[in-house]
């Protein structure tokens, strides 16, 4: 802790002087012991070893590890190493993700525990934020982060940025006391208080700490965040059930095969080997492998669109999102103030986007606005006036003007006045502030005030924040004690706005075309929210405010949500409530946000979308995906990619189902006819070494379907392994099995040696699998699409698979391991023909099979 003798701190010198002694060191120690540190309570953090243990209990991963160990026990180290490597990769990805989620509350603690300047024993002391206790006297100045919730004792021109807590883009004016009239209004009840995590953007203050740690407003958000449970990803749950089913079913079939083989041949060893081969043929270890690869590659592809995927489960959910709840500030808008309109006293409106050049009168107003702002702008509105003056090219004085005096805002006169002297006889006095304050300075008549009020109403309906501008001249002599001592002339009204992002309207239109409803949830004023919503293309006929929402029960709120798309003056707990009601209605909810107030709703939503630029660490850690460039349009790109990834995952799953049918059939067929086993474990292992790369490379690299963004979202309860997908896969596999089985039986009938029969059947099976790859590349029935559709992985597969087959024939050691006989050119032609015939028949059948679906059916088109 720094020395108590820190009264030389420059910032402390600028703070309001007051005769406070504050707490003594002993009193502070007692309160620290009673209330605890000024930070969120630390839940027990899970160690990486504990997370690994929890991950290893997952049945899907256990089966994957078990398969690798079985292969290792059989001596097939290559396949064992591949499976174990994928298993370890799955563990690593899961552990990294789980460790990241543990950082959520840590990030919140860092934000809530800045250093603080307090009065202890009558002296200014700089202490760690975690050591602040209730009753401490805190000194605040421009640029300070408020360390705890506190009630103002003294305040001088104080403004606080509470956007992290409320979502409002405009800093909130604070005063040490509020009138009874003010206190009755919801938006002014917070005026005498400052809150932990907020930022002082103007002025100075002295405040007494009222709440610390978990009892502060930001602490309550943290507790809400910690209490939320994330849902198990649908794909992982569906895959786990399927793996368990296949494992159980495969075990029964393998046992039956062993008993049948023993009954026919009486050889337990060969029977066991045949049973193991059949079990391996039905072991669905590809499912978790493919799921892992698709999620990892999907995250990489989405990152190319400037979207960071923090939770792999969000990729699967993107394609089924039905509602996008978006914040206004910093999400639809740019989160910066900008001069949007100038209204002159005698009529006339000028806008910066107007093609007409600024008149001298508009230039004078812009210059006065700049002169009535802090020279080193920190406040967003002051920054906007500086930028506006630069934009329209104000005349520059020959000599740099000198600031003579500043009259700050007072509770009874919300106007900021500065006196500048540039060497001339008369000094320029510039004023800007609330219109009613400017009217008072200019001593306007009732008729003039009425005319001004009419103009203000028009601007307010446009969602603008309105300020008045006035000027005066001071010839000589002492400056008056108050700003009311000048003879001001009213110059005009300036409307400021937080501009809409250029990408927002297009993104909203694309969401609509994809069947995704867009809802705006903001802490800003209703008229501002309505204006921004309409500019973005969101229906805003009805706006529901926070106070109105508080009066509704769950049933009434659910009814209101069916038609209302804009919610204004919403508090953090209400944001979370809206997400929960939407989820209860069966919607798949995506929620965007950037502030601490958004963290609970980001975590509760199916897809939490945080802004990576302005967004807080808390929002990013609680989210599923992060927009690295804060571009609202990136959300649509992510949804498009999410739908593509899910489509391709279904293609891969369908392919896996289809391939296992002929593999298992050919492992079982010889047993049914009383022939020796056709394939052993090494053949099955080789086939599945081909299957995994094919799924990972070919199907993951497939482009999007033509209707990917013109069809409605996938139903939330739609199964990954739908009846249509499974039946189509079985039909594919059955046809492929029929062709290869016919070749196998015919070769036996011709009396070919056993090793040649095995090699012919194996090659025919592999080329049939190749045919199934092309069949499953698209849901559309199109031969041209099957061959001409772009896919960077196809050429490699077409080279790699035949090369691997050639190795099994031409390398003696490998040939002996596989037990293959010699193949002639006509045998290879038969094998290739089986695959091509499978492709032709299935493409023809696809048009009839998917006739009732919304998939495009054009047999010979692209």
């Amino acid at each position: 802790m720094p020395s108590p003798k820190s009264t030389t701190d420059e910032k402390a010198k600028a703070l309001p002087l007051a005769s406070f002694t504050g707490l003594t060191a002993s009193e502070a120690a007692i309160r620290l012991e009673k209330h605890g540190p000024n930070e969120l309570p630390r839940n027990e953090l899970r160690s990486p070893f504990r997370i690994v243990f929890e991950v290893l209990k997952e049945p899907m991963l256990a089966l994957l590890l078990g398969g690798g160990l079985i292969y290792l026990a059989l001596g097939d180290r290559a396949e064992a190493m591949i499976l174990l490597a994928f298993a370890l990769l799955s563990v690593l990805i899961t552990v990294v993700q789980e460790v990241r989620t543990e950082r959520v509350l840590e990030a919140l603690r860092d934000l809530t525990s800045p250093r603080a300047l307090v009065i202890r024993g009558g002296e200014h002391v700089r202490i760690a934020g975690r050591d602040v206790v209730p009753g401490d006297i805190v000194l605040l100045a421009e640029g300070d982060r408020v360390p705890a919730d506190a009630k103002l004792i003294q305040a001088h021109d104080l403004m606080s940025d509470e956007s992290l807590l409320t979502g409002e883009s405009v800093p909130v004016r604070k005063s040490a006391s509020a009138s009874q009239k003010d206190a009755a209004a919801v938006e002014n009840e917070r005026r005498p208080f400052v809150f932990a995590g907020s930022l002082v953007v103007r002025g100075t203050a002295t405040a007494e700490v009222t709440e610390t740690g978990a009892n502060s407003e930001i602490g309550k958000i943290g507790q809400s965040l910690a209490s939320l449970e994330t849902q198990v990803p649908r794909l992982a749950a569906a895959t786990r059930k399927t793996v368990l089913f296949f494992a159980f079913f495969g075990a029964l079939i393998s046992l039956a095969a062993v008993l049948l083989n023993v009954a026919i041949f009486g050889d337990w060893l060969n029977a066991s080997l045949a049973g193991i081969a059949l079990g391996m043929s039905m072991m669905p270890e590809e499912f978790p492998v493919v799921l892992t690869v698709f999620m990892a590659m999907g995250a990489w592809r989405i990152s190319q669109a400037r979207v960071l995927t923090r939770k792999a489960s969000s990729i699967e959910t993107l394609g089924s999102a039905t509602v996008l709840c978006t914040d206004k500030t910093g999400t639809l808008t740019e989160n910066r103030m900008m001069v949007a309109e100038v209204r002159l006293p005698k009529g006339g409106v000028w806008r910066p986007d107007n093609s007409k050049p600024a008149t001298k009168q508009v230039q004078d107003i812009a210059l006065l606005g700049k002169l009535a702002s802090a020279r080193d702008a920190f406040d967003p509105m002051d920054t906007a006036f500086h930028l506006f003056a630069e934009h329209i090219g104000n005349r520059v004085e020959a000599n740099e003007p000198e600031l003579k005096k500043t009259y700050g805002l007072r509770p009874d006169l919300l106007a900021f006045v500065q006196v500048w002297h540039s060497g001339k006889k008369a000094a320029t006095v510039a004023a800007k502030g609330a219109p009613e304050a400017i009217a008072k300075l200019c001593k306007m008549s009732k008729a003039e005030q009425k005319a001004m009020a009419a103009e203000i109403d028009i601007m307010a309906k446009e969602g603008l924040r309105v300020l008045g501008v006035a000027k005066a001249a001071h010839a000589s002599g002492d400056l008056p004690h108050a700003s009311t001592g000048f003879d001001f002339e009213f110059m005009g009204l300036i409307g400021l706005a937080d501009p809409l992002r250029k990408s927002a309207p297009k993104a909203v239109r694309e969401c609509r075309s994809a069947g995704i409803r867009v809802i705006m949830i903001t802490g800003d004023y209703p008229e501002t929210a309505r204006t921004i919503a309409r500019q973005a293309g969101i229906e805003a006929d009805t706006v529901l405010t926070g106070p109105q929402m508080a009066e509704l029960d769950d049933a009434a709120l659910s009814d209101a949500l069916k038609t209302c798309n804009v919610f204004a003056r919403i508090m953090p707990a209400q944001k979370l409530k809206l997400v929960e009601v939407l989820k209860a209605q069966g919607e798949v909810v995506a929620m965007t946000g950037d502030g601490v107030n958004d963290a609970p709703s980001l975590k509760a939503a199916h897809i939490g979308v945080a802004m990576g630029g302005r967004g807080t660490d808390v929002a990013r850690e609680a989210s599923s995906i992060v927009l690295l460039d804060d571009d609202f349009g990136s959300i649509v790109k992510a949804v498009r990619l999410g739908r593509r990834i899910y489509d391709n995952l279904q293609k891969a799953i369908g392919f896996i189902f289809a391939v296992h049918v002929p593999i298992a059939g050919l492992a079982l067929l010889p047993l049914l006819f009383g022939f020796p086993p056709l394939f052993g474990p090494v053949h099955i292992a080789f086939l599945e070494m081909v299957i995994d790369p094919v799924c990972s490379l070919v199907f993951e690299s497939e482009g999007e379907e033509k209707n990917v963004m013109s069809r409605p979202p996938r139903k939330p309860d739609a199964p990954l392994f739908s009846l249509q997908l499974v039946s189509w896969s079985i039909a594919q596999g059955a046809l492929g099995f029929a062709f290869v089985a016919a070749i196998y039986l015919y070769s036996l009938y011709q009396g070919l040696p056993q090793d040649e029969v095995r090699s012919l059947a194996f090659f025919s099976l592999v080329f049939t699998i190749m045919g199934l790859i092309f069949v499953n590349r698209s849901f559309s029935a199109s031969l041209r699409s099957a061959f001409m559709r772009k896919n960077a992985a196809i050429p490699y597969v077409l080279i790699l698979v035949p090369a691997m087959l050639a190795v099994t024939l031409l390398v003696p050691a490998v040939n002996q391991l596989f037990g293959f006989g010699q193949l002639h050119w006509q045998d290879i032609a038969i094998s290739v023909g089986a695959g091509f015939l499978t492709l032709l028949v299935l493409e023809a059948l696809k048009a009839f099979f998917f006739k009732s679906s919304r998939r495009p059916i054009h047999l010979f088109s692209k």
Side-chain angles (χ1 to χ4, degrees):
M1 182 182 296
S3 169
K5 303 296 183 178
S6 57
T7 53
T8 58
D9 190 294
E10 291 299 321
K11 191 172 288 185
K13 292 181 179 180
L15 292 165
L17 298 177
S19 56
F20 296 110
T21 58
L23 301 176
T24 64
S26 59
E27 289 174 335
I30 293 172
R31 297 193 184 195
L32 185 63
E33 179 69 25
K34 177 182 178 181
H35 297 281
N38 180 32
E39 60 185 9
L40 294 183
R42 295 179 180 270
N43 294 334
E44 182 183 357
L45 296 180
R46 295 181 298 168
S47 68
F49 295 104
R50 179 180 171 186
I51 295 173
V52 169
F53 177 74
E54 293 176 358
V55 172
L56 291 177
K57 292 191 298 183
E58 291 293 326
M60 182 174 63
L61 186 59
L63 282 174
L64 185 59
L65 289 171
L69 293 176
I70 290 173
Y71 288 134
L72 191 61
L74 291 171
D76 193 339
R77 295 183 179 180
E79 180 70 9
M81 290 300 102
I82 291 175
L83 289 179
L84 292 175
F86 274 118
L88 292 176
L89 179 62
S90 299
V91 172
L92 181 62
I93 291 174
T94 306
V95 169
V96 170
Q97 178 56 44
E98 292 293 331
V99 169
R100 280 183 174 180
T101 60
E102 295 291 333
R103 298 178 185 168
V104 175
L105 294 181
E106 292 297 323
L108 193 56
R109 289 192 197 98
D110 292 340
L111 185 60
T112 57
S113 188
R115 297 187 63 76
L117 184 63
V118 300
I119 299 178
R120 292 272 177 92
E123 298 201 18
H124 293 180
V125 182
R126 182 75 65 178
I127 64 173
R130 69 187 308 274
D131 294 330
V132 173
V133 296
D136 258 330
I137 304 299
V138 181
L139 303 177
L140 301 171
E142 184 176 296
D144 283 346
R145 182 76 66 179
V146 180
D149 290 2
K151 185 174 183 179
L152 294 173
I153 301 173
Q154 293 180 346
H156 177 70
D157 190 20
L158 185 68
M159 297 187 73
S160 172
D161 180 359
E162 297 179 354
S163 60
L164 297 182
L165 291 167
T166 65
E168 294 184 36
S169 57
V170 179
V172 181
R173 187 167 304 285
K174 299 289 183 176
S175 59
S177 62
S179 66
Q180 292 298 320
K181 180 179 179 181
D182 286 342
V186 174
E187 58 266 25
N188 290 330
E189 287 180 353
R190 299 158 65 93
R191 187 165 283 181
F193 295 91
V194 288
F195 301 94
S198 59
L199 181 68
V200 177
V201 298
R202 174 182 285 180
T204 58
T206 305
E208 181 179 358
V209 174
T210 56
E211 301 290 352
T212 60
N215 294 323
S216 64
E217 290 297 313
I218 200 171
K220 293 174 184 177
I221 293 175
Q223 289 181 316
S224 172
L225 188 63
S227 65
L228 294 174
E229 295 292 336
T230 53
Q231 298 179 346
V232 177
R234 289 186 176 91
L235 281 183
T239 305
R240 185 182 303 124
K241 290 179 181 178
T242 305
V243 168
L244 289 173
F245 171 77
F246 269 82
F248 178 74
F249 184 70
L252 292 179
I253 297 297
S254 298
L255 179 60
V258 171
L259 296 177
L260 180 61
N261 204 303
V262 170
I264 296 174
F265 299 103
D267 186 345
W268 278 100
L269 180 58
N270 286 328
S272 298
L273 289 174
I276 290 173
L278 181 59
M280 290 170 60
S281 71
M282 302 187 69
M283 175 76 82
E285 71 270 18
E286 297 95 342
F287 287 154
V289 170
V290 168
L291 182 60
T292 300
V293 171
F294 266 70
M295 294 303 103
M297 289 299 295
W300 177 80
R301 290 190 182 280
I302 290 178
S303 71
Q304 303 305 297
R306 302 288 296 162
V307 178
L308 174 65
T309 305
R310 297 193 63 258
K311 297 178 182 178
S313 59
S314 63
I315 297 174
E316 67 177 85
T317 317
L318 278 170
S320 60
T322 59
V323 175
L324 173 57
C325 297
T326 174
D327 191 18
K328 177 186 73 67
T329 305
T331 307
L332 288 173
T333 66
E334 297 181 5
N335 193 40
R336 64 180 179 87
M337 299 304 292
M338 182 183 75
V339 174
E341 187 174 288
V342 176
R343 289 185 177 257
L344 304 177
K346 296 182 179 180
V349 179
W350 186 88
R351 297 181 178 88
D353 57 357
N354 199 328
S355 59
K356 296 181 180 179
T359 63
K360 180 180 180 301
Q361 202 171 0
V362 171
Q363 291 183 5
D364 289 342
I365 292 174
L367 178 60
L368 288 169
K370 178 180 178 180
L371 294 177
S373 302
R375 175 174 286 177
D376 298 322
F378 189 86
D379 177 76
M381 285 189 290
D382 283 354
T383 302
F385 277 102
H386 278 274
L387 292 175
F388 178 52
E390 294 173 6
H391 174 69
I392 65 172
N394 281 125
R395 302 179 309 279
V396 179
E397 297 287 346
N399 298 319
E400 182 70 18
E402 179 185 357
L403 179 63
K404 289 295 186 182
K405 188 175 179 62
T406 296
Y407 299 88
L409 288 86
R410 307 196 312 261
D412 59 331
L413 188 67
L414 299 178
F416 190 77
V417 180
Q418 293 196 135
V419 182
W420 298 84
H421 193 273
S422 58
K424 299 178 181 179
K425 291 184 178 180
T428 300
V429 185
K432 79 172 192 306
E436 59 271 19
I438 296 298
K440 183 177 180 180
L441 288 176
C442 296
K443 301 177 178 62
M444 285 187 175
S445 65
K446 290 185 177 180
E448 290 173 327
Q449 291 182 42
K450 186 176 180 180
M452 177 195 285
E455 296 292 315
I456 294 172
D457 286 341
I458 295 173
M459 298 174 76
K461 289 179 180 178
E462 296 174 359
L464 301 178
R465 184 176 179 87
V466 184
L467 295 179
V469 176
K471 74 171 183 179
H474 183 73
S476 60
D478 294 335
L479 294 171
H481 294 292
S483 56
T484 51
F486 296 105
D487 186 15
F488 280 101
E489 175 189 359
F490 176 60
M491 297 298 294
L493 298 172
I494 293 182
L496 296 102
D498 185 2
L500 185 75
R501 289 184 179 274
K502 293 181 180 179
S503 62
K506 180 181 178 182
V508 171
R509 286 195 302 271
E510 290 194 52
C511 285
R512 282 185 171 181
S513 69
I516 302 173
R517 179 185 174 196
V518 180
I519 295 177
M520 178 198 288
I521 304 174
T522 179
D524 218 329
Y525 292 95
E527 283 303 321
T528 304
R530 189 194 304 272
T531 300
I532 293 296
R534 286 176 173 169
Q535 290 175 0
I538 302 172
E539 294 181 4
D541 295 334
T542 304
V543 178
L544 189 67
T545 66
Q548 293 171 337
M549 178 178 161
E551 297 176 359
L552 302 178
D553 57 22
D554 288 352
L557 179 58
S558 181
D559 290 338
L561 263 172
K562 294 177 182 177
T563 56
C564 183
N565 295 315
V566 180
F567 294 81
R569 307 303 287 169
I570 298 297
M571 300 300 290
Q574 292 177 318
K575 285 188 176 184
L576 179 59
K577 181 68 174 177
L578 288 171
V579 171
E580 290 173 340
V581 171
L582 285 168
K583 289 170 66 177
Q585 291 178 345
E587 304 286 358
V588 178
V589 183
M591 169 73 188
T592 70
D594 52 15
V596 173
N597 64 310
D598 296 322
S601 50
L602 285 174
K603 188 174 181 182
H606 295 103
I607 311 166
V609 185
M611 300 297 149
R614 180 182 178 272
T616 61
D617 288 342
V618 180
R620 286 192 289 270
E621 291 294 332
S623 65
S624 304
I625 62 177
V626 179
L627 304 185
L628 297 179
D629 52 9
D630 288 9
D631 187 353
F632 183 77
S634 296
I635 300 174
V636 180
K637 296 178 184 177
V639 170
R640 178 185 293 272
L641 286 170
R643 291 189 174 191
R644 167 190 165 178
I645 292 166
Y646 190 88
D647 282 349
N648 290 342
L649 182 58
Q650 280 198 313
K651 296 171 187 176
I653 294 296
F655 171 77
I656 292 172
F657 271 120
V659 165
H660 272 275
V661 173
I663 293 177
L666 290 173
L668 185 60
L669 183 63
L671 302 179
L672 297 178
F673 281 88
F675 300 136
L678 179 62
F679 297 145
V682 65
H683 303 96
I684 305 300
F686 179 86
L687 288 171
E688 297 192 356
M689 285 179 68
V690 173
I691 292 173
D692 288 343
V694 163
C695 292
S696 303
L697 294 173
V698 175
F699 294 107
E700 196 285 325
S701 300
E702 279 297 328
E704 64 190 38
E705 296 288 312
K706 291 181 179 179
N707 65 341
V708 67
M709 288 300 284
S710 60
R711 64 180 188 244
R714 187 178 71 254
K715 291 183 179 180
D717 56 350
L720 173 64
F721 311 102
S722 64
L723 179 61
Q724 185 184 42
L725 178 65
V726 173
S727 58
W728 171 238
S729 298
I730 292 175
Q732 295 179 68
L735 182 66
F737 169 68
F739 287 143
V740 179
I743 294 172
Y744 166 67
L745 294 175
Y746 182 74
S747 63
L748 287 176
Y749 176 76
Q750 292 293 319
L752 294 179
Q754 180 67 25
D755 56 354
E756 291 187 17
V757 171
R758 180 180 294 113
S759 57
L760 178 58
F762 188 86
F763 272 56
S764 299
L765 177 59
V766 171
F767 283 111
T768 298
I769 290 174
M770 295 287 288
L772 294 178
I773 293 174
F774 286 94
V775 171
N776 287 280
R777 288 189 62 199
S778 174
F779 293 118
S780 305
S782 170
L783 282 175
R784 185 173 181 181
S785 176
F787 288 104
M788 304 304 294
R789 186 182 174 101
K790 291 183 179 180
N791 187 312
I794 284 289
Y796 296 101
V797 173
L798 290 177
I799 294 172
L800 179 63
V801 173
M804 294 176 70
L805 289 176
V807 169
T808 64
L809 281 180
L810 302 177
V811 179
V814 179
N815 184 272
Q816 185 177 1
L817 176 65
F818 278 80
F820 284 165
Q822 184 179 3
L823 284 183
H824 303 88
W825 285 110
Q826 56 267 37
D827 297 327
I828 295 177
I830 291 173
S831 300
V832 174
F836 192 71
L837 186 60
T838 301
L839 171 61
L840 289 176
V841 174
L842 288 175
E843 283 295 333
L845 290 176
K846 188 188 292 184
F848 297 98
F849 197 90
F850 289 105
K851 188 175 182 180
S852 60
S853 73
R854 296 186 180 183
R855 308 289 188 192
I857 305 296
H858 305 290
L859 191 56
F860 294 102
S861 68
K862 292 182 181 180

